[in-house]
Amino acid sequence: MSRLVAVSNRISIPKRGAAPGGLAVGLLTAIQARRGLWFGWDGETSEVAGSEPSIVRKDDVTYASIDFDKAEYYDFYLGFCNGTLWPLFHYFVDGFRYKDVQYEAYQRMNHRYAKHLAPLLEPDDIIWVHDYHLFPLAQRLREAGATQPMGLFLHIPFPNIEVLRVLPVYGELLQAMLAYDVLGFQTETDVQAFRSAVAYVWGEEALNADSSVTLGGRRVVTGVFPIGVDVDAIQREAVESQNTDACKRMVAGLLGRKLMIGVDRLDYSKGLVERFKAYEKFLETHPENQNRVSFLQIAPLSRTDVRAYSEIRRDLEQTTGRTNGRFADTDWTPIRYLNRNFPHDVLMGFMRSAQVGIVTPVRDGMNLVAKEFVAAQDPSDPGVLVLSTLAGAARELTGAIMVNPYDARGMAHAIQQAFNMPIAERRERHQAMNDVMRRNSITAWHTSFIETLESVVEPPKDFRLRFG
Ligand code: ADQ
């Protein structure tokens, strides 16, 4: 069995007392099974970046990490990755910024990843790269002489070509993606968007009927690999954590009211401002719910050095203040808005205690919170998921109440419907979603991606060594 080398912008190095999240656990299981290597940034920045990766071995996994210097952090990570690619790939054409100097930093960083990773590779490795931070990595590794099979999985949406071509360097990035052997996406829409971009640049003749593309004699397999969760593990976590102090306190604070919960990284793609406005509309148009339901929104801060993120934070604080000022009572706070992290099991316990889960991104690659909410429910008395049609998860979780996240009135109506859904219908919808999630589990995700990567028989041998 080949060794698996996983590469992601950020890696989770095991620390005492800190449990990694669902995605990290899933990936780690796959790496562990193949006594593999996980390579990436350790999350630290320093004045001068270290010259060698630092290596830690634990439980059959080797962690090789690099740090960033300040310029790399600003220009590569905050700049091109999160100020250019992230907004554009989530269709925020207005919020997108492009600077040559940041793109150059992006290319330089990918070069540095390759330079540090190449000496750690073994001939029979298979290499699985994650996400938009590392589109050019395969190209750089090939130039360094690597001939191993390489796959890229994109966790975020792939935009339609009419949006993609707003980016001055879109052609170069597409070309870079074609140095991989396998390109994996969350949904069929993303694969189609990628294929239409290839056809736009190189013509329809580059597209093969079997969903691969061929360019310059190289064949690149494209496919849909919807990321999932471990339904049974989440169910266990949710049940066990209901006895924790944190869960008991949260439930006691409801004073018997029904609960709607939202859990998201604080990001403009998650549709939080629109969601808060919809909840305000719900309290206004369905006043019988005042003082009878509570909305708990957990949203830890992320990317606080990017301006768009401080703006959304301000908007949310204003909307929360207005709604609470307008509707609160001496013993009732309509929105409880918390900017903090919780251990994963506690979150699952919170979700199990909620009658409604609200997941309304204005654009999302998949959205694991939607799947976690469903998996955490008590099957005999499950809560109801209200889900944006613009989340990748909407393709699979068709038992949710679907909403357009920009339609406040429609969302208010959906929340009302969710709180009042009869138990038979709740059970039926929950069962259907659980069945799909068991099929498309986190194990199915990494197994099928790795199998596809292993099926790539002849990696290209025509890239010459460039590092001196
Ligand atoms: P993200 O945009 O980060 O991921 P998401 O899929 O929602 O989003 O996953 C977030 C994870 O963080 C969930 O497992 C959730 O439980 C956890 N989390 C959220 N808030 C938390 C808190 N307060 N405390 C602790 N944990 C918290 C990107 C893409 C998504 C895609 C994933 C995986 O943007 O579309 O689903 O990758 O591919």
mmCIF file of all heavy atoms in Angstrom, residues 252-280:
data_model
loop_
_atom_site.group_PDB
_atom_site.id
_atom_site.type_symbol
_atom_site.label_atom_id
_atom_site.label_comp_id
_atom_site.label_asym_id
_atom_site.label_seq_id
_atom_site.Cartn_x
_atom_site.Cartn_y
_atom_site.Cartn_z
ATOM 1 N N ALA A 252 -30.593 24.911 30.703
ATOM 2 C CA ALA A 252 -31.262 25.545 31.850
ATOM 3 C C ALA A 252 -31.579 27.015 31.528
ATOM 4 O O ALA A 252 -32.649 27.525 31.889
ATOM 5 C CB ALA A 252 -30.373 25.444 33.087
ATOM 6 N N GLY A 253 -30.660 27.661 30.800
ATOM 7 C CA GLY A 253 -30.841 29.078 30.459
ATOM 8 C C GLY A 253 -32.019 29.322 29.527
ATOM 9 O O GLY A 253 -32.491 30.450 29.384
ATOM 10 N N LEU A 254 -32.518 28.279 28.882
ATOM 11 C CA LEU A 254 -33.661 28.454 27.961
ATOM 12 C C LEU A 254 -34.984 28.620 28.713
ATOM 13 O O LEU A 254 -35.971 29.082 28.132
ATOM 14 C CB LEU A 254 -33.781 27.232 27.038
ATOM 15 C CG LEU A 254 -32.643 27.013 26.028
ATOM 16 C CD1 LEU A 254 -32.803 25.651 25.345
ATOM 17 C CD2 LEU A 254 -32.645 28.124 24.990
ATOM 18 N N LEU A 255 -35.002 28.205 29.957
ATOM 19 C CA LEU A 255 -36.226 28.260 30.785
ATOM 20 C C LEU A 255 -37.410 27.616 30.055
ATOM 21 O O LEU A 255 -38.518 28.181 30.008
ATOM 22 C CB LEU A 255 -36.563 29.713 31.148
ATOM 23 C CG LEU A 255 -35.493 30.491 31.934
ATOM 24 C CD1 LEU A 255 -35.904 31.952 32.107
ATOM 25 C CD2 LEU A 255 -35.256 29.846 33.303
ATOM 26 N N GLY A 256 -37.151 26.478 29.415
ATOM 27 C CA GLY A 256 -38.220 25.721 28.759
ATOM 28 C C GLY A 256 -38.583 26.211 27.362
ATOM 29 O O GLY A 256 -39.466 25.646 26.714
ATOM 30 N N ARG A 257 -37.906 27.255 26.887
ATOM 31 C CA ARG A 257 -38.243 27.737 25.535
ATOM 32 C C ARG A 257 -37.648 26.809 24.478
ATOM 33 O O ARG A 257 -36.674 26.099 24.735
ATOM 34 C CB ARG A 257 -37.660 29.135 25.309
ATOM 35 C CG ARG A 257 -38.260 30.175 26.202
ATOM 36 C CD ARG A 257 -37.709 31.545 25.845
ATOM 37 N NE ARG A 257 -38.176 32.490 26.826
ATOM 38 C CZ ARG A 257 -37.477 32.852 27.900
ATOM 39 N NH1 ARG A 257 -36.259 32.383 28.112
ATOM 40 N NH2 ARG A 257 -38.004 33.701 28.759
ATOM 41 N N LYS A 258 -38.209 26.888 23.256
ATOM 42 C CA LYS A 258 -37.631 26.131 22.139
ATOM 43 C C LYS A 258 -36.372 26.828 21.657
ATOM 44 O O LYS A 258 -36.251 28.053 21.786
ATOM 45 C CB LYS A 258 -38.641 26.040 20.995
ATOM 46 C CG LYS A 258 -39.795 25.113 21.303
ATOM 47 C CD LYS A 258 -40.683 25.004 20.089
ATOM 48 C CE LYS A 258 -41.767 23.961 20.316
ATOM 49 N NZ LYS A 258 -42.664 23.876 19.150
ATOM 50 N N LEU A 259 -35.496 26.024 21.042
ATOM 51 C CA LEU A 259 -34.195 26.578 20.643
ATOM 52 C C LEU A 259 -33.948 26.426 19.142
ATOM 53 O O LEU A 259 -34.159 25.361 18.571
ATOM 54 C CB LEU A 259 -33.085 25.830 21.408
ATOM 55 C CG LEU A 259 -31.641 26.165 21.029
ATOM 56 C CD1 LEU A 259 -31.285 27.606 21.372
ATOM 57 C CD2 LEU A 259 -30.659 25.206 21.730
ATOM 58 N N MET A 260 -33.480 27.524 18.541
ATOM 59 C CA MET A 260 -32.933 27.438 17.173
ATOM 60 C C MET A 260 -31.434 27.718 17.294
ATOM 61 O O MET A 260 -31.035 28.673 17.965
ATOM 62 C CB MET A 260 -33.580 28.473 16.262
ATOM 63 C CG MET A 260 -32.974 28.499 14.869
ATOM 64 S SD MET A 260 -33.963 29.450 13.695
ATOM 65 C CE MET A 260 -33.344 31.102 13.983
ATOM 66 N N ILE A 261 -30.619 26.895 16.623
ATOM 67 C CA ILE A 261 -29.169 27.072 16.753
ATOM 68 C C ILE A 261 -28.493 27.290 15.390
ATOM 69 O O ILE A 261 -28.894 26.694 14.380
ATOM 70 C CB ILE A 261 -28.529 25.851 17.477
ATOM 71 C CG1 ILE A 261 -27.070 26.151 17.847
ATOM 72 C CG2 ILE A 261 -28.610 24.569 16.653
ATOM 73 C CD1 ILE A 261 -26.452 25.153 18.810
ATOM 74 N N GLY A 262 -27.503 28.169 15.388
ATOM 75 C CA GLY A 262 -26.628 28.359 14.225
ATOM 76 C C GLY A 262 -25.194 28.256 14.712
ATOM 77 O O GLY A 262 -24.869 28.790 15.774
ATOM 78 N N VAL A 263 -24.338 27.563 13.953
ATOM 79 C CA VAL A 263 -22.923 27.422 14.330
ATOM 80 C C VAL A 263 -22.092 27.652 13.067
ATOM 81 O O VAL A 263 -22.210 26.889 12.105
ATOM 82 C CB VAL A 263 -22.617 26.005 14.876
ATOM 83 C CG1 VAL A 263 -21.135 25.845 15.170
ATOM 84 C CG2 VAL A 263 -23.437 25.701 16.105
ATOM 85 N N ASP A 264 -21.335 28.709 13.050
ATOM 86 C CA ASP A 264 -20.559 29.011 11.841
ATOM 87 C C ASP A 264 -19.299 29.763 12.223
ATOM 88 O O ASP A 264 -19.316 30.525 13.193
ATOM 89 C CB ASP A 264 -21.327 29.980 10.917
ATOM 90 C CG ASP A 264 -22.741 29.556 10.638
ATOM 91 O OD1 ASP A 264 -23.609 29.675 11.546
ATOM 92 O OD2 ASP A 264 -23.000 29.116 9.531
ATOM 93 N N ARG A 265 -18.238 29.590 11.439
ATOM 94 C CA ARG A 265 -17.124 30.514 11.526
ATOM 95 C C ARG A 265 -17.660 31.873 11.110
ATOM 96 O O ARG A 265 -18.497 31.948 10.207
ATOM 97 C CB ARG A 265 -16.068 30.071 10.501
ATOM 98 C CG ARG A 265 -14.695 30.017 10.974
ATOM 99 C CD ARG A 265 -13.758 29.286 10.010
ATOM 100 N NE ARG A 265 -14.218 29.042 8.660
ATOM 101 C CZ ARG A 265 -14.210 29.945 7.683
ATOM 102 N NH1 ARG A 265 -13.788 31.172 7.889
ATOM 103 N NH2 ARG A 265 -14.609 29.622 6.458
ATOM 104 N N LEU A 266 -17.187 32.953 11.763
ATOM 105 C CA LEU A 266 -17.739 34.260 11.395
ATOM 106 C C LEU A 266 -17.158 34.666 10.035
ATOM 107 O O LEU A 266 -16.022 35.120 9.953
ATOM 108 C CB LEU A 266 -17.398 35.290 12.472
ATOM 109 C CG LEU A 266 -18.319 36.497 12.468
ATOM 110 C CD1 LEU A 266 -18.401 37.106 13.848
ATOM 111 C CD2 LEU A 266 -17.863 37.537 11.490
ATOM 112 N N ASP A 267 -17.941 34.445 9.000
ATOM 113 C CA ASP A 267 -17.465 34.687 7.641
ATOM 114 C C ASP A 267 -18.645 35.206 6.826
ATOM 115 O O ASP A 267 -19.776 34.725 6.988
ATOM 116 C CB ASP A 267 -16.974 33.350 7.042
ATOM 117 C CG ASP A 267 -16.228 33.553 5.750
ATOM 118 O OD1 ASP A 267 -16.837 33.978 4.749
ATOM 119 O OD2 ASP A 267 -15.012 33.295 5.731
ATOM 120 N N TYR A 268 -18.373 36.172 5.927
ATOM 121 C CA TYR A 268 -19.482 36.759 5.158
ATOM 122 C C TYR A 268 -20.164 35.744 4.253
ATOM 123 O O TYR A 268 -21.303 35.917 3.861
ATOM 124 C CB TYR A 268 -19.025 37.993 4.365
ATOM 125 C CG TYR A 268 -17.767 37.787 3.555
ATOM 126 C CD1 TYR A 268 -17.806 37.238 2.291
ATOM 127 C CD2 TYR A 268 -16.520 38.128 4.082
ATOM 128 C CE1 TYR A 268 -16.652 37.037 1.562
ATOM 129 C CE2 TYR A 268 -15.351 37.934 3.350
ATOM 130 C CZ TYR A 268 -15.423 37.385 2.096
ATOM 131 O OH TYR A 268 -14.285 37.166 1.366
ATOM 132 N N SER A 269 -19.475 34.642 3.904
ATOM 133 C CA SER A 269 -20.115 33.633 3.049
ATOM 134 C C SER A 269 -21.197 32.850 3.798
ATOM 135 O O SER A 269 -22.017 32.170 3.187
ATOM 136 C CB SER A 269 -19.073 32.651 2.520
ATOM 137 O OG SER A 269 -18.540 31.886 3.595
ATOM 138 N N LYS A 270 -21.208 32.933 5.125
ATOM 139 C CA LYS A 270 -22.134 32.104 5.910
ATOM 140 C C LYS A 270 -23.519 32.737 6.043
ATOM 141 O O LYS A 270 -24.420 32.153 6.665
ATOM 142 C CB LYS A 270 -21.554 31.798 7.293
ATOM 143 C CG LYS A 270 -20.189 31.096 7.263
ATOM 144 C CD LYS A 270 -20.250 29.667 6.731
ATOM 145 C CE LYS A 270 -18.889 28.977 6.749
ATOM 146 N NZ LYS A 270 -18.900 27.674 6.101
ATOM 147 N N GLY A 271 -23.700 33.952 5.510
ATOM 148 C CA GLY A 271 -25.040 34.570 5.474
ATOM 149 C C GLY A 271 -25.588 34.946 6.841
ATOM 150 O O GLY A 271 -26.813 34.915 7.045
ATOM 151 N N LEU A 272 -24.717 35.328 7.760
ATOM 152 C CA LEU A 272 -25.179 35.577 9.131
ATOM 153 C C LEU A 272 -26.032 36.839 9.239
ATOM 154 O O LEU A 272 -27.053 36.846 9.942
ATOM 155 C CB LEU A 272 -23.974 35.660 10.080
ATOM 156 C CG LEU A 272 -23.246 34.330 10.257
ATOM 157 C CD1 LEU A 272 -21.892 34.522 10.919
ATOM 158 C CD2 LEU A 272 -24.079 33.392 11.096
ATOM 159 N N VAL A 273 -25.632 37.900 8.554
ATOM 160 C CA VAL A 273 -26.405 39.148 8.651
ATOM 161 C C VAL A 273 -27.818 38.902 8.116
ATOM 162 O O VAL A 273 -28.816 39.271 8.752
ATOM 163 C CB VAL A 273 -25.700 40.283 7.867
ATOM 164 C CG1 VAL A 273 -26.542 41.545 7.889
ATOM 165 C CG2 VAL A 273 -24.315 40.546 8.446
ATOM 166 N N GLU A 274 -27.890 38.219 6.977
ATOM 167 C CA GLU A 274 -29.198 37.918 6.373
ATOM 168 C C GLU A 274 -30.018 37.041 7.323
ATOM 169 O O GLU A 274 -31.230 37.210 7.468
ATOM 170 C CB GLU A 274 -28.998 37.181 5.039
ATOM 171 C CG GLU A 274 -28.367 38.002 3.917
ATOM 172 C CD GLU A 274 -26.848 38.171 4.046
ATOM 173 O OE1 GLU A 274 -26.235 37.617 4.981
ATOM 174 O OE2 GLU A 274 -26.283 38.891 3.206
ATOM 175 N N ARG A 275 -29.349 36.094 7.986
ATOM 176 C CA ARG A 275 -30.042 35.185 8.914
ATOM 177 C C ARG A 275 -30.615 35.948 10.105
ATOM 178 O O ARG A 275 -31.756 35.727 10.508
ATOM 179 C CB ARG A 275 -29.031 34.137 9.404
ATOM 180 C CG ARG A 275 -29.639 33.083 10.299
ATOM 181 C CD ARG A 275 -28.555 32.151 10.820
ATOM 182 N NE ARG A 275 -27.754 31.556 9.751
ATOM 183 C CZ ARG A 275 -26.626 30.873 9.942
ATOM 184 N NH1 ARG A 275 -26.169 30.688 11.175
ATOM 185 N NH2 ARG A 275 -25.958 30.371 8.942
ATOM 186 N N PHE A 276 -29.820 36.872 10.646
ATOM 187 C CA PHE A 276 -30.286 37.639 11.805
ATOM 188 C C PHE A 276 -31.496 38.498 11.421
ATOM 189 O O PHE A 276 -32.437 38.651 12.186
ATOM 190 C CB PHE A 276 -29.154 38.529 12.356
ATOM 191 C CG PHE A 276 -28.151 37.787 13.219
ATOM 192 C CD1 PHE A 276 -27.916 36.433 13.052
ATOM 193 C CD2 PHE A 276 -27.435 38.457 14.209
ATOM 194 C CE1 PHE A 276 -26.989 35.753 13.844
ATOM 195 C CE2 PHE A 276 -26.507 37.786 15.013
ATOM 196 C CZ PHE A 276 -26.286 36.435 14.825
ATOM 197 N N LYS A 277 -31.434 39.042 10.211
ATOM 198 C CA LYS A 277 -32.572 39.865 9.754
ATOM 199 C C LYS A 277 -33.814 38.997 9.560
ATOM 200 O O LYS A 277 -34.933 39.422 9.839
ATOM 201 C CB LYS A 277 -32.213 40.599 8.462
ATOM 202 C CG LYS A 277 -31.228 41.723 8.731
ATOM 203 C CD LYS A 277 -30.916 42.519 7.485
ATOM 204 C CE LYS A 277 -29.962 43.654 7.855
ATOM 205 N NZ LYS A 277 -29.176 44.129 6.712
ATOM 206 N N ALA A 278 -33.615 37.784 9.070
ATOM 207 C CA ALA A 278 -34.750 36.877 8.864
ATOM 208 C C ALA A 278 -35.378 36.501 10.209
ATOM 209 O O ALA A 278 -36.607 36.388 10.326
ATOM 210 C CB ALA A 278 -34.296 35.621 8.127
ATOM 211 N N TYR A 279 -34.551 36.333 11.218
ATOM 212 C CA TYR A 279 -35.074 35.993 12.550
ATOM 213 C C TYR A 279 -35.869 37.173 13.118
ATOM 214 O O TYR A 279 -36.938 36.993 13.723
ATOM 215 C CB TYR A 279 -33.908 35.621 13.468
ATOM 216 C CG TYR A 279 -34.316 35.289 14.890
ATOM 217 C CD1 TYR A 279 -35.098 34.166 15.174
ATOM 218 C CD2 TYR A 279 -33.927 36.104 15.947
ATOM 219 C CE1 TYR A 279 -35.466 33.863 16.483
ATOM 220 C CE2 TYR A 279 -34.283 35.812 17.254
ATOM 221 C CZ TYR A 279 -35.059 34.684 17.516
ATOM 222 O OH TYR A 279 -35.410 34.389 18.808
ATOM 223 N N GLU A 280 -35.369 38.367 12.864
ATOM 224 C CA GLU A 280 -36.099 39.566 13.303
ATOM 225 C C GLU A 280 -37.474 39.602 12.610
ATOM 226 O O GLU A 280 -38.500 39.838 13.236
ATOM 227 C CB GLU A 280 -35.276 40.809 12.943
ATOM 228 C CG GLU A 280 -35.870 42.100 13.480
ATOM 229 C CD GLU A 280 -35.018 43.331 13.112
ATOM 230 O OE1 GLU A 280 -34.071 43.207 12.311
ATOM 231 O OE2 GLU A 280 -35.346 44.413 13.630
#
